[in-house]
Amino acid sequence: MGEQNRRVTPEQAAANARTGLATIVGAFAESPQTLRRARLLGLSGWAYHVSARAGALGEVRPETVAAAIGFIAPEAVIDGWEATAKTSAPLEVATWHLHELCKWGIEQLGGFPRLGRLLELSGRVVDAVEHAGLPLFAAWRAMPVPDQAPGARAAVILHLLHEHRLGVHLVAVRASGLTPLQAIIAGPEGETGAVAFGWQPPYPPAGPIVRRLLWADSVGDAVAGQAYGTLDMGERIELVGLLESLSQRLTR
């Protein structure tokens, strides 16, 4: 095991961090407080999801939002964005979302035993990200953090790392020649995932495109790994371990 650990590359660290980040951010997205915020704003869960994530872009056209998110069907993005615009400015929704993220971080992450080290390592990776081609990551990184408590800052940084990976994945999928829908169909959730993201049938067959998705995943690891290269090998191993520990803590 020690010999294997010494060979962990930035690409491998990015790949290994992916699941933990998705689990941590998913725990916030599915928390009762987050869902309650959608109801208080008078938004459906779908409209809140679209506007809370893309509202950091500001007042842009829904087609721009669909292009930035990528994996949600454009018609579904437009419906959610326009529904939000009837009652709230999308940037206001994103700002509220950030406040809720900070509160959740204080409550759920504040007691994590190695929070300071997690903050240091993950923060260095976020600072090292080259944001060209990653509009949502860039927009969120520019948002002022309303609470500087360690738990709040950790929640924001982990959200940024997850947003970074989502953006990189979209770039890699397009570079592979796949459309977002093809990438979903070729992935583990298949047609179930396509339905969840608002895509309507008919769907393309998965068989011929699975290899392209594997190539896209490899490219995504390489691009995301560039930021993880700011850490030495021991620090990369440590960060991945911290993310795994935190994700297990949140899902017990």
Side-chain angles (χ1 to χ4, degrees):
M1 176 66 81
E3 182 64 26
Q4 182 181 7
N5 282 346
R6 284 197 291 273
R7 293 197 300 268
V8 169
T9 65
E11 292 83 357
Q12 289 169 331
N16 293 340
R18 188 176 183 178
T19 300
L21 287 169
T23 300
I24 294 164
V25 173
F28 165 65
E30 296 165 8
S31 68
Q33 296 92 330
T34 305
L35 300 176
R36 178 173 173 269
R37 172 55 56 191
R39 292 194 296 271
L40 289 175
L41 292 172
L43 300 175
S44 69
W46 187 258
Y48 183 82
H49 172 76
V50 170
S51 54
R53 184 177 173 207
L57 296 170
E59 300 300 321
V60 299
R61 295 182 183 278
E63 292 81 3
T64 302
V65 176
I69 292 178
F71 291 104
I72 299 178
E75 295 81 4
V77 172
I78 291 169
D79 287 347
W81 192 256
E82 291 181 344
T84 298
K86 293 176 182 177
T87 58
S88 307
L91 182 58
E92 292 177 358
V93 178
T95 301
W96 274 111
H97 191 68
L98 185 57
H99 277 274
E100 293 298 316
L101 177 62
C102 287
K103 288 199 293 186
W104 177 85
I106 291 170
E107 294 170 2
Q108 300 296 324
L109 310 185
F112 185 58
R114 302 196 63 207
L115 184 60
R117 187 62 171 161
L118 177 63
L119 268 171
E120 178 189 351
L121 296 177
S122 58
R124 284 166 55 194
V125 175
V126 165
D127 290 343
V129 171
E130 168 52 61
H131 62 213
L134 305 174
L136 284 172
F137 170 83
W140 275 105
R141 188 164 65 176
M143 290 274 283
V145 180
D147 195 316
Q148 293 300 313
R153 288 169 48 221
V156 172
I157 288 173
L158 297 178
H159 166 75
L160 285 170
L161 279 181
H162 182 59
E163 193 64 68
H164 167 237
R165 185 61 205 229
L166 292 176
V168 164
H169 184 55
L170 178 58
V171 171
V173 162
R174 298 301 292 124
S176 74
L178 294 175
T179 66
L181 175 57
Q182 287 175 321
I184 294 170
I185 290 297
E189 296 183 354
E191 292 187 3
T192 300
V195 171
F197 283 102
W199 298 93
Q200 300 298 316
Y203 301 124
I209 54 180
V210 169
R211 284 184 177 272
R212 285 194 183 187
L213 182 60
L214 292 174
W215 183 86
D217 286 339
S218 177
V219 171
D221 291 339
V223 175
Q226 292 172 355
Y228 287 82
T230 196
L231 306 178
D232 65 32
M233 282 186 285
E235 290 170 333
R236 293 193 290 266
I237 296 163
E238 185 180 4
L239 176 57
V240 170
L242 289 170
L243 293 173
E244 290 176 353
S245 295
L246 180 55
S247 64
Q248 291 170 6
R249 180 187 177 102
L250 291 172
T251 54
R252 281 177 190 160

